Amino acid sequence: MTAPSSRRGRGAALESEPDIPTDPSLPPVSLTPEQDAKDTRWTALKIAVWIVIALLGGVAWTMLAIVRGETVNAIWFVFAAVCTYLIGYRFYSKVIERYITRPNDKRATPAEVRSDGKDYVPTDRRVLYGHHFAAIAGAGPLVGPVLAAQMGYLPGTIWIIVGVVLAGAVQDYTVLFFSMRRGGRTIGQMARQELGRIGGTAAIVASLLIMLIIVAILALVVVNALGESPWGVFSVSMTIPIALFMGVYLRYLRPGKVTEVSLIGFVLLIAAIIGGGWVASTEWGYAIFHLDREVIAWGIIVYGFIAAILPVWLLLAPRDYLSTFMKIGVIVMLAGAIVLVRPEITVPAITVFGENGLGPVFSGPLFPFLFVTIACGALSGFHALIASGTTPKLVEKERQTRFIGYGGMLMESFVAIMALVAALSIDQGIYFAMNSPAALTGGTVEGAVAFVNSLGLTGAPITPDMLTSTAAAVGEESVVSRTGGAPTLALGLAHIMQQALGGQALMAFWYHFAIMFEALFILTAVDAGTRVARFMLQDSIGAWVPKFRDVSWRPGVWICTAIMVAGWGTILILGVTDPLGGINTFFPLFGIANQLLAAIALAVVLAIVAKRGRAYVKWLWIIGLPLAFAAVVTITASVYKIFSPVPAIGYWANHFKYRAALESGDESLGPVPTVEAVIRNTAVQGTLSIIFVSLAIVVIIAALIVTVKAIRAGGGDDTEDEAVPSRRYAPAGFLPTASERELEKQWEPLLAEERKDLAHRH
């Protein structure tokens, strides 16, 4: 039962939720206002707890931002993050819920109304939280903070923690809620419906193109982590048959035995890591799994196509489920180890590269490039595709969207903070030796030592023995120019974990454990991103060829998947073969594209909220603030990349520099094939930058026009689905309140009967 696209005329906005009569023969489907007030009333104990949280957070921020001695203890990062997240979730997200989204649990969600056992399935909030987190948590929160560490610890820490509370989590929560109210429509479909043909078309085209660069860079991170690493290649490749086995096990061998298969999967993962060390030490294992980066890239391209067309239950679902526990478990374990070990951070609050913007990891001034480099750890446009894709079709009750959307993004931000601390914990010299491209280090220990020692870093100079002993400790041939952030994070995690558990003897295990942990993060995002992009392309082509909108039509699935994989696969190969280091030149474009997509999503939400009526206008700043910041940051970064005359920053400046060298026969920049590759790649990057920012500006302008018109008219067209009374109940948060537990008891006999019927049908 989907409502017409405009049920009410202009001005007939949703000022307040209408009362929805529910079935009197059923227990209540939602708490009464009195019950809710009873559960949330302030007590002396609650006040004391929140005072302690606020004071602890204040002390942590004081130690990080004001005291700032020669070293800073890593424990303050954990306390500052956790306390800020708790305050943001308890108070700021409640403001959004009360004044912007205004959920109504008497209203059935699309998962209940359209329940089909496939796309629309009412899902337990805790399971859905894990599924949503697995889908949104890609390479961004791991890689971006690691690369941004070259600018110092303080700017990145502030943006990751404060940015997520005011921007990233706001976007994820509101997009999820408003997509759910519209039957789970994608952000492109909502843009077309809310902003009109021009703005909607620009949003759809921008989303498709941006998806290509996002997935390509995610894959490039995996390639750089696994290149010439037989241990890593073996361990990560084993996750695929393990996931396939788990899928078959759950579907045919032992249906419903989730805990059982989880334990088996975890044991197999650990065996794959331990076995990888043995396989890599053998002559045959080294010959088979010691692969160069281009071969691994082609393998990921083939994998991406196959994974995106396989049934969800066979590969994606079991690996998502397993990786979610591994992701959250590893991050919590790392946080615990930091509290236990309390490593001292020697990196300055703001480094010389944060001041001059000419760092070897990436080039550009702190504003705006710190923000676009950190990307997903604080604000991610990629999340808008997930929050308006699969997740809104699975939400059981409307009030759960705060826990899933806002809470899920807070967990991703915590991942980013842990990644930043891990990167900061290792020696600065080793950090720059790992993250500087081979064009600067020569790819050798001697070249890396000479280059890093020329940077003028604080602290003792780096020595060849430091690099060779570090590589030996983690079971790798070399750590020089292992760009992409993933190897650096793995080294930092191993450095901290071995102090807490196992000592130096387990350094190699922890390093490759981290590599597998990161690869699970990233490969999940690669195939999930490919699927989402395929759905978007099918929907777009379906406007002209309706058959393509049928997601069960196999030729359409294969054709659209092949197109999207070919698109991001081409960019991936360009990145792998880039002489200047693919991550170092492509990652800023990834960050800009990702943040532009976030600006597009926030622009659509702004228009939707403005159309809801006059009562919402004074709260538009909650959406307008992050939208304005994202727009200024990304447009400024795009201007730098397009127009900067500095070759290290501007794509076109670098393009013309190498082109002039080629035309004059100057080989000082490298041999002809190298120069030609740089010319080709900078042309691609520069062109994409122009396209991305132009489309985003069109969408933002269209949204602002719609918003202004809605404010003047006192509202706009209501495009939500028709309200349908709910016939089920579930708590809103992770832990039910006292009133929610009482209501759950009333529903338990009915839910038991429902489970019995489902089991009988199966």
Side-chain angles (χ1 to χ4, degrees), residues 469-492:
S469 61
T470 298
V474 297
E476 293 291 325
E477 291 182 358
S478 173
V479 293
V480 173
S481 294
R482 297 302 297 272
T483 58
T488 306
L489 174 57
L491 178 62

Side-chain angles (χ1 to χ4, degrees), residues 247-380:
V248 173
Y249 192 94
L250 270 178
R251 191 171 181 89
Y252 297 114
L253 302 180
R254 299 273 287 174
K257 302 294 183 181
V258 176
T259 303
E260 186 177 300
V261 78
S262 299
L263 292 173
I264 294 173
F266 178 75
V267 170
L268 291 175
L269 278 181
I270 299 301
I273 300 171
I274 297 172
W278 174 77
V279 169
S281 66
T282 64
E283 187 174 335
W284 61 269
Y286 185 89
I288 294 174
F289 295 103
H290 187 273
L291 305 175
D292 64 42
R293 301 181 190 196
E294 198 164 344
V295 172
I296 296 173
W298 281 107
I300 289 178
I301 290 170
V302 174
Y303 160 82
F305 177 80
I306 295 174
I309 63 174
L310 282 177
V312 175
W313 64 266
L314 184 57
L315 178 60
L316 264 67
R319 200 189 56 228
D320 281 3
Y321 178 78
L322 184 62
S323 66
T324 296
F325 286 99
M326 189 171 180
K327 290 170 184 175
I328 296 177
V330 169
I331 293 304
V332 171
M333 182 175 66
L334 178 58
I338 289 171
V339 173
L340 183 66
V341 175
R342 299 189 301 281
E344 291 290 329
I345 305 299
T346 59
V347 177
I350 301 177
T351 66
V352 64
F353 306 120
E355 295 170 357
N356 64 26
L358 296 175
V361 179
F362 65 91
S363 297
L366 190 151
F367 182 89
F369 286 98
L370 173 89
F371 304 96
V372 296
T373 300
I374 287 176
C376 307
L379 174 65
S380 174

Side-chain angles (χ1 to χ4, degrees), residues 136-146 218 373-377 412 416 522 587 590:
I136 65 173
L142 301 176
V143 176
V146 171
L218 294 178
T373 300
I374 287 176
C376 307
E412 172 142 352
I522 297 163
F587 198 84
F590 161 84

Side-chain angles (χ1 to χ4, degrees), residues 95-159:
V95 170
I96 299 171
E97 181 182 63
R98 182 174 180 180
Y99 297 110
I100 296 288
T101 57
R102 306 189 187 185
N104 184 356
D105 273 356
K106 291 184 178 180
R107 179 176 181 144
T109 64
E112 181 180 351
V113 175
R114 307 184 189 183
S115 181
D116 59 8
K118 297 177 183 177
D119 296 319
Y120 294 88
V121 182
T123 305
D124 183 279
R125 65 201 182 281
R126 293 158 295 197
V127 174
L128 185 55
Y129 179 93
H131 171 81
H132 180 74
F133 176 73
I136 65 173
L142 301 176
V143 176
V146 171
L147 301 182
Q150 82 160 357
M151 290 188 164
Y153 74 78
L154 187 57
T157 300
I158 293 173
W159 173 235

Side-chain angles (χ1 to χ4, degrees), residues 553-593:
W553 185 50
R554 304 313 297 173
V557 170
W558 296 333
I559 291 170
C560 291
T561 301
I563 291 172
M564 299 311 297
V565 170
W568 64 255
T570 300
I571 298 173
L572 171 61
I573 296 299
L574 291 179
V576 170
T577 58
D578 183 37
L580 301 180
I583 284 292
N584 306 73
T585 56
F586 274 90
F587 198 84
L589 180 60
F590 161 84
I592 292 169

